[in-house]
């Protein structure tokens, strides 16, 4: 028993030494630590928080946030966070609950000011009213969670974040409001520009790969008539692609929109058969290196649409 | 616009040519100069009034255009302005999709419906296997020693698990897992696999857990069967921890240390007796390495099972993350009145995922654990007294090569010091298991696995082969994506 006791003491001492040497150096930081589940939320939080906050995103914009896993490094970030901002509407349902349980940080638990579920500050599309079954695929009963793709929702989120940061850090409340005002002014300039640039899309029928562009269609006025995935989250088969080809020909649909992380084979196949052009849209901040702000995101989406609509050389 | 411009140009051109004609006329004679001058003056006046008229029209058009554009901008900005003026929604637990993870309000009882805002997480998963081995059922059960391993030629109900969990109040979360399975005799067995509460709000990164729970030793031990990457549990775990992994009743304190990387220290005290603690007090009449166990119940604190674990989680690059842990167990065993067991383990897990992934694919992961046991068998005066020394390891690699598809390969080794060849739990044993898993969605899977076994305990039969097909479903609360 004595030997065991010595071993235990040694392990604890070693661990404590590690903790002492590495940990307490960073604890004097005064900035509000904001952790977001996606880079879109991080970009908005950065625009509002400026130098008064330190923002980290748990997932990169190059990956589908629904399929993230709760890594220890993410637990670590949530453990130290003052404010946790999430997409909600079941987007992070697979990994955020276990992460919150491991992170043991009561500040960012639901119901406290440090927990901000952004889906409650926007109007969600596609809220299911009837019974929902997983036989329908990966249906989000609480509504479509891809709402950051409507710039008006970006503005709603920015406003809510400014208010919440002001609550958590009252000393800088005015600064947060000023940055929100600047964000809104930029939006007042940018939104009409994007709408003008994409005016030709108005009323056009478009095919989407996944059910993730409903909000983009809502703001820019195009119609998503079908998806490549037969059901959300279910990969297309030869038969479903065949049916889609019939529809594309019948309704003379000319454009497919998709996220960069989906397979391109279906898009190439549809292009060969029908001439359907694919616009690979950056779906999030960080999806491309050059997209670092929320405004860059829609500049990038506009550019991707333009590129797909431009006359192409024969391949 | 273009039209007005062309008109303007035409008039200008006409005017210019007229001026030129007039000048020419002036030179050609002097008698009608006055008349010509008057005419010229008239032309100039006409021209100026025409220009003035055009300028007015142009200005009017421009003004109209600006007004239209302004209206369009106003229209576009309406949503922006509306957003700016709308009241912010106030937090309300009833509409909160994370209600299940929120602390229930002290005064107001939230909705208990299991739909949208349910406050209880409820899940049911079923795991079934079919297949066969080159061995008879009786011999197969020694090879597949895990309680949830497929261990019969034919069909096995490996694990049907009901999970219930929620926040208890602002201070505790709680969870319980009930297991149903059908044993080799066809009897339905119910087990309370885990039932524990954990604290939510202790300071300094501390978390306390109490109840019946898996001991935090290594990475694999605390995984429930539906999260395994292979159809059966690693054989070294079956040898050291028995058919059901190491779990018992007790309390655990964990400390998430304030380091720059994830570093967690866990210390637990648990009961050392029962069929899920086979390397320790286990049960009277059971045998370990030929030593029959006595009824040795806990007399003081030194008769409990103690465990410690230090786990570190690091992001090596943006696409590679790794967990490195060491674990230790010590406690009494029932082969004598003062005999103890010590088990040490080291575990390593790393996962690579490229920057761009679809549904979490592709990925490559590597998981290795090494365990060593020192078991004091028999009291000081016992003539059969000896120290049993066993060790083993397993190493498994997974390759998610396209969305929904994972190929896996596992290599295992287990052995012991001394003449142990006839003991199925202590002979030298090797196993190689390739498998292929298809996940149609996150909620179901199909797995095909081949096991090639090498062992000593069956004289004349040194190897065996087995093929297993496994199928799983998952209902209710969303499957957890844990690293």
């Amino acid at each position: 028993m004595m030997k065991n006791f010595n071993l235990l003491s040694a392990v604890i001492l070693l661990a404590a030494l590690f903790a002492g040497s590495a940990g307490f150096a960073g604890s004097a930081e005064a900035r509000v630590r904001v952790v977001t589940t996606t880079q879109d939320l991080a970009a908005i939080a950065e625009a509002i928080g400026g130098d008064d906050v330190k923002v980290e995103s748990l997932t990169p914009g190059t990956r589908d946030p629904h399929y993230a896993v709760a890594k220890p490094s993410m637990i670590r970030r949530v453990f130290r966070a003052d404010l946790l901002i999430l997409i909600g509407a079941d987007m992070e349902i697979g990994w955020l609950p276990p992460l919150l349980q491991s992170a043991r940080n009561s500040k960012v638990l639901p119901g406290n000011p440090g927990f901000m579920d952004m889906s409650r500050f926007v109007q969600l599309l596609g809220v299911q009213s009837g019974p929902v079954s997983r036989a329908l695929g990966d249906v989000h009963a609480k509504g479509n969670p891809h709402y950051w793709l409507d710039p008006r929702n970006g503005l709603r989120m920015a406003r809510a974040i400014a208010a919440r940061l002001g609550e958590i850090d009252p000393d800088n409340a005015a600064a947060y409001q000023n940055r929100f005002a600047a964000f809104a002014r930029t939006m007042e300039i940018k939104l009409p520009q994007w709408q003008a640039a994409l005016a030709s899309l108005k009323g056009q029928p478009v095919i989407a790969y996944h059910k993730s562009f409903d909000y983009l269609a809502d703001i820019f006025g195009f119609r998503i008539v079908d998806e490549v995935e037969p059901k959300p989250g279910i990969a297309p088969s030869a038969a479903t692609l065949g049916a889609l080809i019939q529809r594309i020909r019948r309704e003379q649909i000319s454009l497919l929109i998709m996220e960069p992380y989906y397979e391109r084979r279906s898009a190439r196949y549809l292009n060969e058969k029908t001439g359907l052009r694919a616009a690979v849209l950056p779906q999030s901040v960080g999806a491309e290196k050059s997209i670092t702000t929320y405004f860059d995101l829609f500049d990038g989406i506009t550019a991707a649409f333009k590129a797909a609509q431009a006359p192409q050389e024969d391949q | 616009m273009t039209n007005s411009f062309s008109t303007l140009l035409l008039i200008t051109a006409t005017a210019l040519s007229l001026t030129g004609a007039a000048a020419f006329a002036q030179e050609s004679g002097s008698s009608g100069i006055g008349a010509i001058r008057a005419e010229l003056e008239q032309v100039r006046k006409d021209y100026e009034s025409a220009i003035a008229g055009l300028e007015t029209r142009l200005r009017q058009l421009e003004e109209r255009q600006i007004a239209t554009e302004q209206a369009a901008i106003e229209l576009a900005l309406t949503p922006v302005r509306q957003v700016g003026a709308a009241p912010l929604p106030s937090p309300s637990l009833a509409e909160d999709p994370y209600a299940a993870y929120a602390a229930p309000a002290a005064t107001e009882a939230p909705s208990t419906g299991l739909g949208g805002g349910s406050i209880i997480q409820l899940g049911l998963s079923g795991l079934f296997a079919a297949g066969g081995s080159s061995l008879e059922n009786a011999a197969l059960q020694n090879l597949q020693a895990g309680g949830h391993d497929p261990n019969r030629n034919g069909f096995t109900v490996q694990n049907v698990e009901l999970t219930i969990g929620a926040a208890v109040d602002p201070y505790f979360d709680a969870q319980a897992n009930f297991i149903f399975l059908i044993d080799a005799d066809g009897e339905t067995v119910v087990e309370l696999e885990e039932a524990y509460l954990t604290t939510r709000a202790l300071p300094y990164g501390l978390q306390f857990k109490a109840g019946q729970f898996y001991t935090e030793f290594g990475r694999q031990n605390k995984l429930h069967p539906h999260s395994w990457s292979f159809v059966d549990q690693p054989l070294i775990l079956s040898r050291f921890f028995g058919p059901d992994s190491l779990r018992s009743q007790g309390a655990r304190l964990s400390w998430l240390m304030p380091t720059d990387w994830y570093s967690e220290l866990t210390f637990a005290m648990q009961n050392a007796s029962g069929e899920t603690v086979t390397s320790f007090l286990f049960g009277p009449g059971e045998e370990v390495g030929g030593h029959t166990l006595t009824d040795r119940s806990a007399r003081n604190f030194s008769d409990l099972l103690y465990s410690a674990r230090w786990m570190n989680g690091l992001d090596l690059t943006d696409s590679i993350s790794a967990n490195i842990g060491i674990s230790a167990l010590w406690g009494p065993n029932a082969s004598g009145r003062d005999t103890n067991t010590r088990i040490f383990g080291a575990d390593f897990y790393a996962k690579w995922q490229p920057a761009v992934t679809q549904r979490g694919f592709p990925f490559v992961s590597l998981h290795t654990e090494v365990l060593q046991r020192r078991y004091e068998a028999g009291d000081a005066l016992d003539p059969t007294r000896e120290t049993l020394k066993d060790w083993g390891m397993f190493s498994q690699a997974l390759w998610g090569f396209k969305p929904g598809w994972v190929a896996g390969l596992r290599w295992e080794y287990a052995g012991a010091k001394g003449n142990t060849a006839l003991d199925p739990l202590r002979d030298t044993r090797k196993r190689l298991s390739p498998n292929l898993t298809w996940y149609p969605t996150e909620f179901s899977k199909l797995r095909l696995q081949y096991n090639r076994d090498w062992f000593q305990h069956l004289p004349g039969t040194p190897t065996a082969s087995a093929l297993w097909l496994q199928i799983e479903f998952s209902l209710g609360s969303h499957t957890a994506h844990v690293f």
Side-chain angles (χ1 to χ4, degrees), chain B residues 167-179:
Chain B
V168 178
D169 55 24
Y171 310 107
F172 300 104
D173 287 322
Q175 183 182 324
N177 301 63
F178 304 93
I179 286 195

PDB file of all heavy atoms in Angstrom, chain B residues 167-179:
ATOM      1  N   ALA B 167     -30.208  17.077 -16.999  1.00  0.00           N
ATOM      2  CA  ALA B 167     -29.754  17.855 -15.862  1.00  0.00           C
ATOM      3  C   ALA B 167     -30.739  17.618 -14.724  1.00  0.00           C
ATOM      4  O   ALA B 167     -31.945  17.609 -14.925  1.00  0.00           O
ATOM      5  CB  ALA B 167     -29.701  19.330 -16.220  1.00  0.00           C
ATOM      6  N   VAL B 168     -30.212  17.401 -13.513  1.00  0.00           N
ATOM      7  CA  VAL B 168     -31.069  17.141 -12.356  1.00  0.00           C
ATOM      8  C   VAL B 168     -31.589  18.458 -11.802  1.00  0.00           C
ATOM      9  O   VAL B 168     -32.782  18.653 -11.580  1.00  0.00           O
ATOM     10  CB  VAL B 168     -30.262  16.402 -11.261  1.00  0.00           C
ATOM     11  CG1 VAL B 168     -31.121  16.158 -10.038  1.00  0.00           C
ATOM     12  CG2 VAL B 168     -29.706  15.108 -11.816  1.00  0.00           C
ATOM     13  N   ASP B 169     -30.672  19.363 -11.587  1.00  0.00           N
ATOM     14  CA  ASP B 169     -30.965  20.684 -11.054  1.00  0.00           C
ATOM     15  C   ASP B 169     -29.754  21.545 -11.419  1.00  0.00           C
ATOM     16  O   ASP B 169     -28.904  21.095 -12.182  1.00  0.00           O
ATOM     17  CB  ASP B 169     -31.227  20.590  -9.537  1.00  0.00           C
ATOM     18  CG  ASP B 169     -30.090  19.928  -8.762  1.00  0.00           C
ATOM     19  OD1 ASP B 169     -28.942  19.954  -9.263  1.00  0.00           O
ATOM     20  OD2 ASP B 169     -30.337  19.382  -7.680  1.00  0.00           O
ATOM     21  N   PRO B 170     -29.663  22.764 -10.897  1.00  0.00           N
ATOM     22  CA  PRO B 170     -28.506  23.573 -11.303  1.00  0.00           C
ATOM     23  C   PRO B 170     -27.154  22.968 -10.895  1.00  0.00           C
ATOM     24  O   PRO B 170     -26.116  23.446 -11.330  1.00  0.00           O
ATOM     25  CB  PRO B 170     -28.738  24.896 -10.594  1.00  0.00           C
ATOM     26  CG  PRO B 170     -30.198  24.954 -10.353  1.00  0.00           C
ATOM     27  CD  PRO B 170     -30.620  23.533 -10.117  1.00  0.00           C
ATOM     28  N   TYR B 171     -27.155  21.919 -10.101  1.00  0.00           N
ATOM     29  CA  TYR B 171     -25.888  21.428  -9.570  1.00  0.00           C
ATOM     30  C   TYR B 171     -25.432  20.093 -10.148  1.00  0.00           C
ATOM     31  O   TYR B 171     -24.246  19.785 -10.117  1.00  0.00           O
ATOM     32  CB  TYR B 171     -25.973  21.315  -8.041  1.00  0.00           C
ATOM     33  CG  TYR B 171     -26.511  22.581  -7.434  1.00  0.00           C
ATOM     34  CD1 TYR B 171     -27.791  22.650  -6.912  1.00  0.00           C
ATOM     35  CD2 TYR B 171     -25.731  23.743  -7.465  1.00  0.00           C
ATOM     36  CE1 TYR B 171     -28.293  23.834  -6.401  1.00  0.00           C
ATOM     37  CE2 TYR B 171     -26.225  24.939  -6.960  1.00  0.00           C
ATOM     38  CZ  TYR B 171     -27.510  24.974  -6.437  1.00  0.00           C
ATOM     39  OH  TYR B 171     -28.003  26.156  -5.949  1.00  0.00           O
ATOM     40  N   PHE B 172     -26.390  19.284 -10.647  1.00  0.00           N
ATOM     41  CA  PHE B 172     -26.019  17.934 -11.099  1.00  0.00           C
ATOM     42  C   PHE B 172     -26.612  17.572 -12.465  1.00  0.00           C
ATOM     43  O   PHE B 172     -27.729  17.988 -12.794  1.00  0.00           O
ATOM     44  CB  PHE B 172     -26.490  16.866 -10.091  1.00  0.00           C
ATOM     45  CG  PHE B 172     -25.911  17.025  -8.719  1.00  0.00           C
ATOM     46  CD1 PHE B 172     -26.669  17.540  -7.692  1.00  0.00           C
ATOM     47  CD2 PHE B 172     -24.585  16.659  -8.471  1.00  0.00           C
ATOM     48  CE1 PHE B 172     -26.132  17.696  -6.415  1.00  0.00           C
ATOM     49  CE2 PHE B 172     -24.054  16.806  -7.204  1.00  0.00           C
ATOM     50  CZ  PHE B 172     -24.821  17.331  -6.175  1.00  0.00           C
ATOM     51  N   ASP B 173     -25.854  16.764 -13.214  1.00  0.00           N
ATOM     52  CA  ASP B 173     -26.373  16.036 -14.365  1.00  0.00           C
ATOM     53  C   ASP B 173     -26.459  14.583 -13.940  1.00  0.00           C
ATOM     54  O   ASP B 173     -25.686  14.138 -13.095  1.00  0.00           O
ATOM     55  CB  ASP B 173     -25.390  16.098 -15.544  1.00  0.00           C
ATOM     56  CG  ASP B 173     -25.355  17.456 -16.203  1.00  0.00           C
ATOM     57  OD1 ASP B 173     -26.420  18.083 -16.312  1.00  0.00           O
ATOM     58  OD2 ASP B 173     -24.262  17.890 -16.617  1.00  0.00           O
ATOM     59  N   ALA B 174     -27.377  13.826 -14.537  1.00  0.00           N
ATOM     60  CA  ALA B 174     -27.431  12.408 -14.211  1.00  0.00           C
ATOM     61  C   ALA B 174     -27.692  11.595 -15.462  1.00  0.00           C
ATOM     62  O   ALA B 174     -28.268  12.088 -16.438  1.00  0.00           O
ATOM     63  CB  ALA B 174     -28.526  12.126 -13.189  1.00  0.00           C
ATOM     64  N   GLN B 175     -27.251  10.350 -15.438  1.00  0.00           N
ATOM     65  CA  GLN B 175     -27.414   9.467 -16.580  1.00  0.00           C
ATOM     66  C   GLN B 175     -27.510   8.031 -16.094  1.00  0.00           C
ATOM     67  O   GLN B 175     -26.891   7.662 -15.097  1.00  0.00           O
ATOM     68  CB  GLN B 175     -26.192   9.613 -17.489  1.00  0.00           C
ATOM     69  CG  GLN B 175     -26.296   8.785 -18.757  1.00  0.00           C
ATOM     70  CD  GLN B 175     -25.060   8.899 -19.612  1.00  0.00           C
ATOM     71  OE1 GLN B 175     -24.457   9.955 -19.687  1.00  0.00           O
ATOM     72  NE2 GLN B 175     -24.694   7.797 -20.259  1.00  0.00           N
ATOM     73  N   ALA B 176     -28.318   7.236 -16.784  1.00  0.00           N
ATOM     74  CA  ALA B 176     -28.380   5.801 -16.476  1.00  0.00           C
ATOM     75  C   ALA B 176     -28.443   5.023 -17.775  1.00  0.00           C
ATOM     76  O   ALA B 176     -29.085   5.450 -18.739  1.00  0.00           O
ATOM     77  CB  ALA B 176     -29.607   5.496 -15.619  1.00  0.00           C
ATOM     78  N   ASN B 177     -27.742   3.883 -17.828  1.00  0.00           N
ATOM     79  CA  ASN B 177     -27.744   2.999 -18.991  1.00  0.00           C
ATOM     80  C   ASN B 177     -28.176   1.617 -18.543  1.00  0.00           C
ATOM     81  O   ASN B 177     -27.526   1.011 -17.700  1.00  0.00           O
ATOM     82  CB  ASN B 177     -26.344   2.890 -19.591  1.00  0.00           C
ATOM     83  CG  ASN B 177     -25.798   4.226 -20.013  1.00  0.00           C
ATOM     84  OD1 ASN B 177     -25.596   5.113 -19.191  1.00  0.00           O
ATOM     85  ND2 ASN B 177     -25.575   4.377 -21.291  1.00  0.00           N
ATOM     86  N   PHE B 178     -29.269   1.154 -19.118  1.00  0.00           N
ATOM     87  CA  PHE B 178     -29.751  -0.191 -18.818  1.00  0.00           C
ATOM     88  C   PHE B 178     -29.449  -1.066 -20.015  1.00  0.00           C
ATOM     89  O   PHE B 178     -29.698  -0.680 -21.141  1.00  0.00           O
ATOM     90  CB  PHE B 178     -31.261  -0.171 -18.570  1.00  0.00           C
ATOM     91  CG  PHE B 178     -31.661   0.773 -17.482  1.00  0.00           C
ATOM     92  CD1 PHE B 178     -32.022   2.081 -17.784  1.00  0.00           C
ATOM     93  CD2 PHE B 178     -31.653   0.377 -16.160  1.00  0.00           C
ATOM     94  CE1 PHE B 178     -32.381   2.976 -16.787  1.00  0.00           C
ATOM     95  CE2 PHE B 178     -32.014   1.252 -15.153  1.00  0.00           C
ATOM     96  CZ  PHE B 178     -32.375   2.557 -15.459  1.00  0.00           C
ATOM     97  N   ILE B 179     -28.934  -2.266 -19.730  1.00  0.00           N
ATOM     98  CA  ILE B 179     -28.586  -3.167 -20.814  1.00  0.00           C
ATOM     99  C   ILE B 179     -29.445  -4.413 -20.765  1.00  0.00           C
ATOM    100  O   ILE B 179     -29.656  -4.984 -19.698  1.00  0.00           O
ATOM    101  CB  ILE B 179     -27.095  -3.555 -20.713  1.00  0.00           C
ATOM    102  CG1 ILE B 179     -26.260  -2.375 -21.146  1.00  0.00           C
ATOM    103  CG2 ILE B 179     -26.792  -4.768 -21.554  1.00  0.00           C
ATOM    104  CD1 ILE B 179     -24.858  -2.733 -21.413  1.00  0.00           C
TER     105      ILE B 179
END
